[in-house]
Amino acid sequence: MVPALGGLITFMVYQRAVEQRGNGDWLPGIGQFIIGALITAAATFGCGLAALLRREQNRWLALLPFLTALGVLLYAGWNVLRNSMR
């Protein structure tokens, strides 16, 4: 439920940015899209971690969203760290 809600909010913010773009903007709203994706990944990571730590009956269902969100957050963190060291 959390990834679907996060995706919906990200989509709405992105569409709003596209509507307000000026002429010549190539990728309007890309910053908002990336921020929305990171917020969704953080929320999904938290929900998946909570389900795994609480030992839910069907905790294996939380494994894929948890690992995907962890990968997104690690990739984004690595890019920020790598770009700040240049």
Side-chain angles (χ1 to χ4, degrees):
M1 187 65 161
V2 172
L5 183 61
L8 179 65
I9 292 170
T10 302
F11 177 75
M12 290 178 357
V13 169
Y14 179 75
Q15 288 302 319
R16 176 87 174 156
V18 168
E19 290 172 1
Q20 294 180 352
R21 74 181 174 130
N23 289 336
D25 285 345
W26 185 51
L27 289 173
I30 194 71
Q32 290 89 348
F33 182 75
I34 292 171
I35 290 170
L38 292 176
I39 290 171
T40 303
T44 305
F45 175 79
C47 290
L49 183 62
L52 291 172
L53 292 177
R54 287 179 44 195
R55 300 195 182 269
E56 296 284 338
Q57 182 178 2
N58 293 324
R59 64 181 171 266
W60 62 272
L61 291 172
L63 196 57
L64 181 63
F66 172 75
L67 292 176
T68 304
L70 180 63
V72 168
L73 293 174
L74 288 175
Y75 178 76
W78 174 254
N79 278 333
V80 168
L81 182 65
R82 186 180 61 182
N83 289 334
S84 68
M85 296 178 83
R86 286 186 184 178

